[in-house]
Every structure is written in structure tokens, then in C-alpha cells.
């Protein structure tokens, strides 16, 4: 997500591999143009079980299985209530898809799970058990990293990538690595 322990760890690793890279921090809750920076979100556990205790979704096996920025929730829910908190894609029936709405509406979050559509259509119990252990913290920082190479000209070129889409190498991580690698290869050149 935009701000949490996994994001901090990713940037720390990135800056270790690129000498001269730096981490930049912005206070959670700060307003930058039209966006209010999100709180730090930590999710220690997110599990969805059927009435027999079978696991349907579990963040520990795939970060995408819980909605980013899900608030804490613990309890039993009916099948009809659970349906309001599930996302799946009938066009990709085996896929666990990324639910990102909470990242851009962090002031109005909803708990939920992403499961394969084939699993969703086979749900037959009337009661399900949800346990999401998460917390929000506005006293921490949103972090980013940058890497700069000064050439002879004043013109600037910006290469950008992001880490805020979990468990998806081709969506964000590849862009960050490509951008940092381009700048690394410019070292020693004017």
C-alpha cells in the first residue's frame, strides 16, 4: 500500500543497491495539492474462513487477498453480508485481483477480500468468520526514494515507478528498478 511496513522495507532494500539513492519522508495526513497523504497501515492478519474452519482467503499467502487499507474487523457474517465485502473477476476466474479503492479513499475504508471467482461462486455456507487485525497510524511518514544524476544541462528527465501495488512485479517494482538502473548507468557520464 502507499504507506506501511512493507513499503518501508522495499525502499530500504532499493536504496542499499543504489549508492547515492535517498529516502524522502512526508508526514501522514499532510495535504499535497489535492491529495491528503494516507495513514500508515499495518495489517498483521487477515483471514476469511467458512463455517468448518476452511480458509478461503489469507493475507499470509497472498497480500492481494485482503483489501489494502482494510480496517480491523472480527466476527461472523452472513453470506449476503460477506458478498458486499468480496471482489472477484468472472473474466479471470482463477485470479486474485487487486482492490485499490481504499488506497485512494483512505478516509472511507471498507474491509474485504479478493478471491478467485471460481471460489466465490462455490461459496455455499450461510455463515463465515472474518478476522482482520489492522491499524492506522497518522504519526508516521509516507516514504519514497529518489536517485539523482546531475548532467551538464539544466533540463531534467524524470523516470518514475511505484511500489504501491502489492505482489505485482510488472506493475510497479519493474518500473522502479528500470528507472534506478538507468540512472546508475549514467554515473560517470556528463
Amino acid at each position: 500500500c502507499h504507506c506501511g511496513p512493507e513499503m518501508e522495507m522495499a525502499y530500504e532494500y532499493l536504496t542499499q543497491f543504489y549508492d547515492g539513492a535517498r529516502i524522502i519522508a512526508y508526514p501522514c495526513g499532510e495535504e499535497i495539492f489535492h491529495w491528503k497523504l494516507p495513514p500508515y497501515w499495518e495489517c498483521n492478519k487477515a483471514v476469511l474462513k467458512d463455517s468448518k474452519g476452511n480458509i478461503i482467503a489469507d493475507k499470509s499467502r497472498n497480500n492481494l487477498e485482503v483489501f489494502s487499507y482494510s480496517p480491523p474487523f472480527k466476527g461472523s457474517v452472513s453470506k449476503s453480508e460477506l458478498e458486499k465485502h468480496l471482489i472477484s473477476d468472472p473474466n479471470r476466474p482463477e485470479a486474485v485481483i487487486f482492490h485499490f479503492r481504499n488506497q485512494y479513499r483512505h478516509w472511507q475504508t471498507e474491509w474485504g477480500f479478493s478471491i478467485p471467482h471460481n471460489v466465490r461462486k462455490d461459496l455455499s455456507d450461510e455463515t463465515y468468520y472474518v478476522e482482520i487485525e489492522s491499524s492506522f497510524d497518522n504519526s508516521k511518514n509516507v516514504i519514497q526514494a529518489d536517485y539523482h544524476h546531475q548532467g551538464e544541462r539544466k533540463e531534467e528527465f524524470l523516470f518514475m515507478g511505484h511500489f504501491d501495488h502489492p505482489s505485482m512485479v510488472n506493475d510497479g517494482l519493474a518500473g522502479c528498478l528500470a528507472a534506478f538502473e538507468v540512472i546508475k548507468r549514467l554515473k560517470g557520464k556528463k
Side-chain angles (χ1 to χ4, degrees), residues 16-177:
Q16 287 175 16
F17 288 104
Y18 294 98
D19 187 38
R22 67 180 182 154
I23 290 179
I24 307 166
Y26 303 93
C28 291
E30 182 177 320
E31 290 190 32
I32 299 178
F33 299 109
H34 66 281
W35 194 41
K36 185 175 183 180
L37 296 182
Y40 189 92
W41 179 66
E42 194 163 357
C43 185
N44 296 316
K45 183 178 185 179
V47 179
L48 170 62
K49 295 179 182 179
D50 67 15
S51 62
K52 297 169 194 71
N54 298 312
I55 294 174
I56 298 164
D58 187 345
K59 180 189 185 290
S60 70
R61 67 181 181 202
N62 184 334
N63 285 319
L64 297 177
E65 291 189 28
V66 64
F67 292 3
S68 289
Y69 283 94
S70 274
F73 183 86
K74 186 174 184 176
S76 297
V77 294
S78 66
K79 182 179 178 187
S80 61
E81 179 61 25
L82 177 63
E83 281 293 339
K84 300 172 192 174
H85 298 275
L86 294 178
I87 189 171
S88 64
D89 185 355
N91 296 319
R92 295 175 289 162
E94 297 300 323
V96 175
I97 62 175
F98 179 41
H99 180 277
F100 57 87
R101 182 189 175 280
N102 287 346
Q103 288 196 178
Y104 298 97
R105 302 279 186 278
H106 51 81
W107 56 89
Q108 189 180 25
T109 58
E110 58 183 29
W111 65 265
F113 295 93
S114 176
I115 61 175
H117 194 71
N118 284 343
V119 172
R120 185 178 187 172
K121 67 183 186 177
D122 288 341
L123 295 177
S124 58
D125 286 1
E126 286 306 312
T127 305
Y128 294 86
Y129 182 74
V130 175
E131 185 174 5
I132 300 173
E133 292 178 9
S134 64
S135 61
F136 298 95
D137 186 347
N138 277 306
S139 70
K140 297 201 176 196
N141 292 316
V142 173
I143 63 165
Q144 298 177 327
D146 76 352
Y147 193 43
H148 180 260
H149 172 76
Q150 183 62 52
E152 291 181 345
R153 297 177 159 213
K154 291 182 181 179
E155 292 88 2
E156 294 181 1
F157 297 91
L158 178 65
F159 300 95
M160 229 169 95
H162 59 84
F163 285 168
D164 63 340
H165 293 181
S167 302
M168 295 182 272
V169 171
N170 289 336
D171 187 18
L173 181 58
C176 290
L177 294 176

